[in-house]
Amino acid sequence: FPFPYTPYRIQEQFMEALYGALEAGRVGIFESPTGTGKSLSLICGALSWLRDWEEKRRQEEARLLALGASGQDGLTLQQARAGSADTAGEPDWVTAFVQKKEERDVVDRLKEEQIRRKKREDRLEKIRHNVQLKYAAKRKRCEEDEAKRLLQLSKEALSQGAGEGVPDQLDHNEEELILAEYESDDEKKVVSGLEEDDDDLEEEHVTKIYYCSRTHSQLSQFVREVQKSPFGKDTRLVSLGSRQNLCVNEEVRCLGTLQLINDRCMDMQKNKHEKKSDEENERKKRRVSRTVCPFYSYEQMQFLRDEVLVEVKDIEQLVSLGRETKACPYYGSRFAIPAAQLVVLPYQILLHEPTRNAAGIKLKDQVVIIDEAHNLIDTITCIHSAEVSGSQLCCAHSQLSQYVERYRKRLKAKNLMYIKQILYLLERFVAMLGGNVNQNPGCQAVSQTGTVLKSINDFLFQSQIDNINLFKVQRYCEKSLISRKLFGFVERYGGPASAVKTNKENQKLAGLQNFLLTLQQGSDKESDPPVEAEHDHLRPASPLMQIEGFLSALTNANQDGRVILNRQGTVGQSSLKFLLLNPAVHFAKVVEECRAVIIAGGTMQPVADFREQLLCCAGVDPARVVEFSCGHVIPPENILPIILCSGPSNQQLEFTYQTRDLPQMMDETGRILCNLCNVIPGGVVCFFPSYEYEKQVYGHWEKTGLLSRLAAKKKIFQEPKKANQVEQVLVEYAKCIKRCSQTGGQMTGALLLSVVGGKMSEGINFSDDLGRCVIMVGMPYPNIKSPELQEKMTWLDKTMPRAAGQAPSRVLIENLCMKAVNQSIGRAIRHQKDFASILLLDHRYARPAIFNKLPQWIRERTQVKPAFGSAFAELRKVRTFTLCAA
């Protein structure tokens, strides 16, 4: 395998296993601890396979073309091709004719593919070596910009003083708010509006690898690794992202929320591609033409596509290129998908089918690698779940009612029919929360508070909406763009700062302004993120956008999800939530269509969840599943994992909900930390099961004086709840450790009190002195009183077989706990020369069922210590080792 340096043995094993899985078309679960060069192993293993596969394809094509050219017997060609039709029972002349015809078709198709490929390769080669082409394109853009500017000046000069006598039933901007006639419930094929005779649009998708990860920064890091690898120069790579990350039109970017950016962008394209009927042309005479995006230029996007394919670029470089070439990176990158060999994209685009289709991703016979997949099940569940608050429902009802009132005479019958259905749905949803849609949700108290779970069918029957076809309503919302029109309407009339003319119709809207204002002030905190509007005050995105997601979720199969009615103090604070119970239904299509799927991560243990909840339920044959887990690159003596069963005063360590609040348990935890901080240099990271428990223990130590004893040895930092404060705390923590190691003295470093599942337990590295010891206080079991979790447990017990005598719900609870533990303790060792000790404070970790769920590389080095004395002696040895290493 080509590699930028001599690989570790475990990297070679990883690449061999990966190559084998891709070749055999398997579904693989791959685990390689962080710090072992997982990204490079994935890149070099997968791209080596792709390179060999392409070479085999080329040889096979050349052989078939040679056979076709020499006019040899069709049967030879038939045998050479896989999957030939069964011709038994046909007369010989029919068989011969069919074979000849198929043979010619294959040869013709191969010739076409070859021509297309040659064209693409020549084009890219030209761009790669011809700098003049770039300058010519740039000069042409400058000329076009100048021409546009002069044209605009001419138009403005002509239009001055010409505006008085224009017939104007409605303000020109208001015309855009009216719903177009909705012709049919049948879904029509959407035409992209691009030149359909263009060769490049017909380009078939080459065999490629889709690599996805969780965050934008992880993807950028992966692209940088590709650039450094031996494949960096000749791999056609394209990075995909959301419009929020890729849009270069400042007018659209400044809208802030993803939903608004998406809608504005789509609106601009619609303006560009819409066929101009006579009626519309008539209307256009009376109003200014609608805005189109200057970056949505087909020619420039083609240029950007080729630039992307010529040289590997991450998202930041793609955005810079888009600005420079005045081409949209969001669409330009999508045009590059068919010819790309490696497509890098976030989870959400790949795992959500409508988003996947909109992006032009075809998974048939392709390879998918999902990295950082330890929380894949949760991710799929979240992507397909939806929640709406009572205030959003009331707000949407009010906006839509006022919209109909304003434009009733201009709306066609079918539009009115669907709007009435949507209004009825909103009314019934609010009634289910115990409220009235016509009253302010912030002032309506809920009589019966609490959480109720219902099946989808029960919810539809009880809310009396089972007679409405939700599929049709959902399609109407999609096609008519009603939420976008409604948002434009509210932008215009919903705010106190918007200028409203004083004619009779507009006077009717004064009530809407006042009502919307009270809703904004009384709306609950969980509404959509606020957006900077034109009027310099914050307004949330149209609530109907959020409600459309909820309606879509209700079209899932009854057995696969539940509706949660969460009734709080007021109707505005209450909410309806759709919870997906079976993520496999949305993952099934991915594993069915793909040639191979690799689920990879640094900590994949316990893997039973992936096998049973995701793969078996998605119908994957167990024989197709392959597992690979490798050790770490560090020497065995560089890590000391200890399960501690009792503390310095022989208090048994068992942090159950019943015992963890006892003063003696909190005192014992403090004594353990005091002893450790005396002998461990640098940083100590201590994980608690929750923010509440960490706060409780901290308060107790303050009262007993333990905190001041700890503070004498280590400066104490606490993980903040707010994400925007995390970076600052980490910087201060690192500075303190560095300062202490340089100056010496009584203070030996810092102690960071963190929370499992918080900001510090995932994605943050405590390498070297930042994490010489990681301590896990108790076992972070999830809250089993949570209605969502209880429903999931009930569903698993009904649908899954018992494993080794344990109920599936019990296995789920243990797996969720141990996944969180493994993520947290994996933060300490980040490279080959790193060393650290890991302390698990609870005797229950020694139970075989729990112990076996630790990562293999930690498990095989773990010592179980019944008493604190022997554990402390081991830790002092690490201290000596540290001094020697220093």
Side-chain angles (χ1 to χ4, degrees):
F1 293 96
F3 215 73
Y5 53 81
T6 307
Y8 303 127
R9 179 68 194 115
I10 59 167
Q11 286 179 311
E12 287 175 344
Q13 290 165 347
F14 185 102
M15 291 186 285
E16 284 161 13
L18 177 63
Y19 191 103
L22 299 182
E23 186 63 23
R26 298 294 190 86
V27 175
I29 303 172
F30 278 62
E31 181 180 55
S32 177
T34 314
T36 56
K38 170 169 58 76
S39 296
L40 263 178
S41 303
L42 279 169
I43 291 162
C44 297
L47 290 176
S48 292
W49 171 82
L50 186 63
R51 186 194 56 194
D52 292 353
W53 166 259
E54 285 173 347
E55 186 51 42
K56 273 187 225 159
R57 280 288 303 270
R58 270 195 290 273
Q59 287 173 3
E60 182 71 1
E61 276 176 22
R63 199 167 66 79
L64 291 176
L65 285 169
L67 279 171
S70 64
Q72 281 186 21
D73 184 46
L75 196 61
T76 326
L77 188 54
Q78 284 296 115
Q79 288 164 345
R81 285 176 54 242
S84 61
D86 182 16
T87 55
E90 295 282 2
D92 287 350
W93 67 270
V94 172
T95 308
F97 176 79
V98 168
Q99 285 177 352
K100 275 283 179 206
K101 170 93 171 66
E102 284 188 3
E103 173 192 329
R104 279 196 303 275
D105 288 349
V106 171
V107 171
D108 290 347
R109 198 174 69 246
L110 289 177
K111 279 179 181 166
E112 276 173 34
E113 271 179 35
Q114 246 184 3
I115 291 164
R116 267 199 297 265
R117 189 167 60 233
K118 184 83 174 72
K119 256 174 101 173
R120 184 186 67 229
E121 283 168 4
D122 290 350
R123 191 178 68 231
L124 297 182
E125 199 57 29
K126 215 188 230 173
I127 290 171
R128 196 176 275 122
H129 297 299
N130 193 344
V131 183
Q132 281 180 325
L133 255 182
K134 291 187 186 183
Y135 286 125
K138 206 167 185 177
R139 195 170 62 246
K140 191 179 175 208
R141 281 194 303 279
C142 294
E143 285 166 8
E144 282 172 0
D145 288 351
E146 186 60 18
K148 274 181 195 166
R149 195 177 66 80
L150 292 170
L151 187 65
Q152 188 59 36
L153 287 171
S154 311
K155 279 181 182 172
E156 283 167 13
L158 284 170
S159 64
Q160 276 177 359
E164 283 85 13
V166 181
D168 189 22
Q169 300 103 316
L170 289 175
D171 181 304
H172 69 261
N173 286 326
E174 222 177 324
E175 281 284 358
E176 291 184 21
L177 303 177
I178 295 181
L179 289 157
E181 181 169 2
Y182 185 68
E183 292 165 3
S184 169
D185 292 331
D186 301 323
E187 206 159 352
K188 286 192 223 118
K189 203 170 182 191
V190 181
V191 189
S192 69
L194 299 170
E195 292 82 344
E196 275 146 43
D197 57 351
D198 195 294
D199 276 350
D200 301 309
L201 287 180
E202 294 167 18
E203 187 167 20
E204 281 186 39
H205 284 238
V206 301
T207 301
K208 61 174 71 21
I209 294 162
Y210 288 100
Y211 170 90
C212 34
S213 193
R214 214 157 34 99
T215 64
H216 173 63
S217 59
Q218 284 167 341
L219 293 171
S220 292
Q221 197 179 332
F222 179 81
V223 174
R224 285 193 290 274
E225 292 282 352
V226 174
Q227 287 168 332
K228 287 189 286 185
S229 79
F231 297 90
K233 288 278 180 283
D234 53 3
T235 297
R236 298 189 301 277
L237 179 147
V238 57
S239 295
L240 301 183
S242 65
R243 286 182 177 89
Q244 211 166 17
N245 286 324
L246 290 174
C247 178
V248 288
N249 184 335
E250 288 308 321
E251 280 177 43
V252 179
R253 274 179 80 89
C254 69
L255 290 171
T257 7
L258 180 59
Q259 185 73 60
L260 289 180
I261 291 173
N262 284 346
D263 281 353
R264 185 75 187 110
C265 173
M266 304 272 284
D267 221 13
M268 284 176 147
Q269 282 174 67
K270 190 168 177 283
N271 297 343
K272 182 161 181 147
H273 297 322
E274 235 169 24
K275 297 273 185 286
K276 298 175 182 66
S277 63
D278 293 342
E279 184 187 330
E280 186 169 321
N281 283 334
E282 269 306 303
R283 209 186 309 146
K284 285 220 169 184
K285 287 175 191 172
R286 301 195 299 270
R287 64 188 181 93
V288 179
S289 65
R290 298 177 292 177
T291 323
V292 294
C293 180
F295 295 91
Y296 194 79
S297 149
Y298 183 56
E299 196 180 342
Q300 292 312 125
M301 288 190 293
Q302 272 191 311
F303 178 75
L304 182 120
R305 171 202 65 187
D306 293 343
E307 279 288 322
V308 164
L309 293 172
V310 162
E311 190 182 12
V312 172
K313 290 174 180 63
D314 65 17
I315 281 190
E316 285 76 17
Q317 292 166 322
L318 187 57
V319 168
S320 302
L321 181 67
R323 287 202 177 100
E324 185 193 316
T325 57
K326 290 225 163 43
C328 173
Y330 180 77
Y331 284 102
S333 58
R334 276 157 172 66
F335 290 159
I337 292 173
Q341 294 164 307
L342 181 56
V343 179
V344 176
L345 68 167
Y347 280 176
Q348 288 78 354
I349 296 178
L350 187 107
L351 297 172
H352 189 242
E353 193 179 355
T355 313
R356 189 165 73 228
N357 294 340
I361 290 167
K362 294 179 181 173
L363 294 181
K364 187 81 183 127
D365 298 330
Q366 307 293 19
V367 169
V368 164
I369 297 175
I370 302 171
D371 200 2
E372 300 299 330
H374 54 271
N375 54 6
L376 180 61
I377 294 172
D378 292 343
T379 303
I380 298 171
T381 304
C382 286
I383 290 171
H384 295 92
S385 295
E387 184 168 20
V388 286
S389 68
S391 68
Q392 286 174 325
L393 293 165
C394 289
C395 187
H397 187 278
S398 165
Q399 290 177 4
L400 204 48
S401 304
Q402 299 284 353
Y403 177 86
V404 174
E405 183 64 31
R406 169 81 172 146
Y407 302 120
R408 183 180 292 278
K409 290 174 187 168
R410 299 289 304 271
L411 295 170
K412 303 287 186 218
K414 211 151 211 182
N415 276 318
L416 283 172
M417 178 191 85
Y418 276 111
I419 291 174
K420 277 182 181 170
Q421 286 191 350
I422 295 167
L423 286 169
Y424 176 70
L425 288 170
L426 296 172
E427 195 181 307
R428 296 312 307 157
F429 290 161
V430 174
M432 286 298 278
L433 292 173
N436 182 333
V437 81
N438 295 313
Q439 294 171 17
N440 190 325
C443 305
Q444 294 182 69
V446 174
S447 52
Q448 292 177 308
T449 56
T451 304
V452 183
L453 279 101
K454 296 185 182 298
S455 70
I456 300 173
N457 288 351
D458 285 350
F459 176 75
L460 298 178
F461 284 122
Q462 286 170 28
S463 52
Q464 298 166 13
I465 58 170
D466 51 301
N467 57 335
I468 289 179
N469 186 330
L470 291 178
F471 288 95
K472 285 189 174 182
V473 174
Q474 183 197 353
R475 195 179 304 147
Y476 171 75
C477 290
E478 225 173 82
K479 300 287 172 202
S480 68
L481 314 174
I482 186 165
S483 60
R484 203 174 309 162
K485 305 281 184 189
L486 195 57
F487 180 74
F489 172 68
V490 176
E491 275 285 275
R492 189 171 177 77
Y493 292 117
S498 42
V500 180
K501 296 174 195 166
T502 54
N503 63 27
K504 284 179 189 173
E505 284 211 67
N506 281 334
Q507 282 166 3
K508 287 181 188 175
L509 291 159
L512 167 66
Q513 288 182 354
N514 294 334
F515 187 75
L516 289 177
L517 204 58
T518 61
L519 286 177
Q520 274 168 22
Q521 288 157 359
S523 70
D524 70 77
K525 290 170 192 168
E526 290 183 313
S527 63
D528 290 356
V531 194
E532 196 72 48
E534 283 179 296
H535 323 302
D536 293 319
H537 70 276
L538 297 172
R539 184 181 298 124
S542 164
L544 192 59
M545 295 173 184
Q546 193 90 357
I547 292 158
E548 283 177 17
F550 181 69
L551 288 174
S552 171
L554 290 178
T555 60
N556 273 281
N558 183 53
Q559 69 274 18
D560 292 331
R562 295 289 179 271
V563 179
I564 302 166
L565 285 75
N566 187 15
R567 299 188 181 108
Q568 296 302 323
T570 66
V571 171
Q573 293 166 328
S574 304
S575 66
L576 295 173
K577 182 179 180 180
F578 173 80
L579 173 71
L580 180 71
L581 293 175
N582 183 12
V585 290
H586 295 287
F587 195 60
K589 200 151 192 184
V590 176
V591 285
E592 275 167 28
E593 290 192 345
C594 290
R595 173 197 172 86
V597 177
I598 304 297
I599 303 168
T603 316
M604 298 297 284
Q605 291 292 339
V607 293
D609 283 1
F610 296 107
R611 261 202 327 268
E612 286 146 27
Q613 281 185 54
L614 209 52
L615 302 179
C616 286
C617 288
V620 178
D621 180 356
R624 192 184 167 199
V625 180
V626 58
E627 285 177 34
F628 174 85
S629 179
C630 64
H632 213 295
V633 289
I634 54 163
E637 64 274 11
N638 279 29
I639 183 170
L640 176 63
I642 291 176
I643 294 171
L644 191 57
C645 302
S646 58
S649 64
N650 288 327
Q651 167 73 46
Q652 190 187 42
L653 300 175
E654 185 174 358
F655 292 85
T656 61
Y657 285 116
Q658 291 77 31
T659 60
R660 69 183 194 180
D661 298 341
L662 298 172
Q664 60 264 36
M665 286 301 285
M666 294 190 272
D667 288 340
E668 198 74 340
T669 309
R671 282 192 284 270
I672 292 168
L673 254 70
C674 277
N675 278 298
L676 295 182
C677 290
N678 280 333
V679 297
I680 291 169
V684 174
V685 185
C686 182
F687 285 103
F688 288 88
S690 67
Y691 283 103
E692 289 68 34
Y693 189 57
E694 187 263 332
K695 198 174 167 186
Q696 187 185 348
V697 172
Y698 189 88
H700 180 78
W701 288 347
E702 251 179 338
K703 279 186 212 155
T704 59
L706 251 166
L707 201 66
S708 51
R709 278 169 54 199
L710 274 171
K713 276 289 178 189
K714 305 269 185 201
K715 185 168 180 187
I716 299 169
F717 292 87
Q718 286 175 280
E719 178 177 327
K721 261 191 168 180
K722 290 184 179 170
N724 58 356
Q725 297 170 356
V726 171
E727 192 59 38
Q728 187 56 38
V729 172
L730 284 172
V731 168
E732 293 300 322
Y733 172 72
K735 271 187 195 166
C736 175
I737 292 168
K738 195 173 180 185
R739 196 168 53 245
C740 292
S741 72
Q742 286 169 351
T743 57
Q746 192 191 357
M747 187 80 81
T748 61
L751 168 64
L752 179 59
L753 305 178
S754 302
V755 175
V756 174
K759 315 289 177 295
M760 310 278 190
S761 65
E762 278 198 41
I764 289 172
N765 300 339
F766 293 111
S767 59
D768 302 316
D769 273 354
L770 295 183
R772 287 299 176 213
C773 181
V774 173
I775 300 161
M776 178 65 62
V777 177
M779 297 186 70
Y781 281 110
N783 176 13
I784 55 167
K785 289 181 181 163
S786 141
E788 286 102 322
L789 187 57
Q790 284 184 340
E791 195 61 32
K792 178 87 178 181
M793 288 161 70
T794 310
W795 180 80
L796 282 173
D797 284 341
K798 277 183 191 167
T799 54
M800 297 278 172
R802 290 174 75 85
Q806 269 192 311
S809 56
R810 179 71 204 158
V811 174
L812 170 76
I813 296 296
E814 280 182 3
N815 287 353
L816 287 172
C817 167
M818 290 310 292
K819 264 193 168 51
V821 169
N822 293 343
Q823 271 306 303
S824 302
I825 61 180
R827 305 291 98 210
I829 302 284
R830 310 310 280 180
H831 58 85
Q832 191 182 16
K833 291 180 179 166
D834 208 352
F835 58 90
S837 43
I838 295 169
L839 246 78
L840 305 174
L841 307 187
D842 201 307
H843 74 95
R844 291 174 294 170
Y845 282 110
R847 291 175 183 167
I850 302 290
F851 183 77
N852 290 330
K853 286 175 181 169
L854 286 167
Q856 188 185 344
W857 66 278
I858 291 179
R859 189 171 66 232
E860 58 197 19
R861 302 170 193 190
T862 301
Q863 302 179 23
V864 179
K865 299 289 182 185
F868 182 73
S870 56
F872 194 60
E874 289 293 333
L875 287 160
R876 290 184 76 93
K877 284 184 201 166
V878 176
R879 162 77 170 157
T880 335
F881 168 68
T882 311
L883 293 170
C884 297

